[in-house]
Amino acid sequence: MSPRVIHTAQALVDVVVEVPSIPRRGGNVMAPPPEEYAGGAVNILLAAARQGAECVHAGATGTGPHGDLVRSALAAEGVTVSSPVVPDLDTGICVVMLEPTAERTFVTTQAAERLISVESLQTSRPEAGDLVCVSGYSLTGTTRDPLLEWLAGLPDGVEVVLDPGAIFAELDDGIRRAMLDLTTVWTGNAEESEALTGESDIVRAAALCIEHLPDGAVAIVRDGPEGCAVHADGETTDLDGYPQKPVDTNGAGDTHTGVLVACRAAGMGWVEAARRANAGGAVKVTRRGPATAPTAAEIDAFLADRT
């Protein structure tokens, strides 16, 4: 069996509202009817599944229309939900205010997706070679302690892929250190990686990230249309991006991560996987909705047009 992609983070429903601008405090803006999409961890899982990876969601889902929407979206792409449904509480939402510039602002609620345990995570049954994805946002609240305990007991050979998120820099030093000690792959954006290393240049930041991780770890630092830097096997590679006119950047980083881990699960080297992830993110920003990652064939066609 090929390695699987297992995600431990929160699957939510994105309620997307297109606004002309963010209202001032206490103010109001008018907007068209909202759109609802399965989002959060769903974005990465669908991006990975569309590359042909076997994917599992180990996080919690709720009882109600939002939980149903999440499970339906995952099932439609062949993603397994391993943990039992949380009774009597629905999945939470993330209100996304999308501006004409494609910039987005979030308000995230917390509900059934936060009710995990070591036992619920273990329903995914990770094995050596599998890639377990972790979000920095899971290192807060009720998800933090069971997640760290479960990660510490993973079998040897499981890759732990940390997408830190903006929140990682705000966490207690002890929590950050515990997570970094368990991380074998860092994949963060330029700002998140600068917060860890103090370095704004993505190539130098990728090399410096390694100093905070266990021996043999990999670091990917992405910078949207500018591409990404990959530090693996003692070398740092700077990969160009594919600038596009964006219509919606929500889920672009998730698409990059999903394509990256799926390609790695398929046996690609980290540099080639990251090159395809750059292409995947470029295609995604031209599409509305967070979980609109391209398929492997669409990435092939995109890259073929640029050779």
Side-chain angles (χ1 to χ4, degrees):
M1 290 179 59
S2 298
R4 299 172 300 156
V5 173
I6 300 171
H7 212 311
T8 60
Q10 294 71 56
L12 298 160
V13 170
D14 283 353
V15 180
V16 181
V17 182
E18 296 189 24
V19 296
S21 63
I22 300 300
R24 63 174 175 79
R25 184 178 182 183
N28 180 40
V29 296
M30 306 304 289
E35 297 284 348
E36 292 193 354
Y37 306 90
V42 174
N43 300 340
I44 292 177
L45 287 164
L46 297 195
R50 288 170 187 164
Q51 312 314 303
E54 181 180 353
C55 299
V56 180
H57 182 234
T61 59
T63 300
H66 295 145
D68 291 343
L69 177 58
V70 165
R71 288 186 294 274
S72 176
L74 293 173
E77 301 281 350
V79 178
T80 300
V81 177
S82 66
S83 58
V85 175
V86 175
D88 303 323
L89 184 62
D90 202 358
T91 290
I93 65 169
C94 179
V95 178
V96 182
M97 289 175 280
L98 177 64
E99 297 177 79
T101 60
E103 187 57 79
R104 61 274 190 275
T105 304
F106 307 100
V107 178
T108 304
T109 68
Q110 300 182 66
E113 73 285 346
R114 286 284 174 176
L115 300 181
I116 64 169
S117 65
V118 172
E119 293 74 21
S120 68
L121 292 169
Q122 188 55 28
T123 59
S124 61
R125 295 180 173 83
E127 299 178 355
D130 289 344
L131 296 103
V132 171
C133 297
V134 177
S135 166
Y137 290 94
S138 296
L139 299 170
T140 63
T142 59
T143 51
R144 182 192 67 196
D145 292 345
L147 175 62
L148 287 173
E149 181 180 347
W150 181 72
L151 291 172
L154 289 176
D156 292 341
V158 174
E159 297 277 19
V160 177
V161 181
L162 174 63
D163 187 344
I167 199 170
F168 192 74
E170 303 171 12
L171 300 176
D172 177 83
D173 286 348
I175 298 300
R176 290 193 298 133
R177 183 70 264 158
M179 185 65 237
L180 291 169
D181 286 346
L182 296 166
T183 298
T184 60
V185 181
W186 167 281
T187 176
N189 67 26
E191 290 183 3
E192 295 156 3
S193 301
E194 182 179 0
L196 178 67
T197 65
E199 178 56 66
S200 59
D201 179 84
I202 65 170
V203 175
R204 291 195 290 267
L208 290 174
C209 282
I210 296 300
E211 298 179 3
H212 299 269
L213 303 172
D215 291 344
V218 172
I220 295 96
V221 179
R222 60 183 186 273
D223 193 16
E226 300 302 316
C228 70
V230 181
H231 187 93
D233 300 321
E235 297 185 0
T236 306
T237 304
D238 187 11
L239 295 172
D240 290 337
Y242 305 96
Q244 307 291 307
K245 182 176 180 180
V247 299
D248 186 358
T249 60
N250 186 21
D254 291 339
T255 294
H256 193 282
T257 299
V259 174
L260 176 80
V261 293
C263 291
R264 183 61 180 175
M268 291 184 196
W270 284 109
V271 171
E272 181 58 23
R275 192 187 317 276
R276 292 183 65 85
N278 283 351
V283 174
K284 187 268 154 267
V285 299
T286 66
R287 300 171 172 180
R288 294 190 182 277
T292 50
T295 64
E298 289 173 324
I299 291 177
D300 289 341
F302 180 88
L303 291 173
D305 288 341
R306 286 155 181 80
T307 56

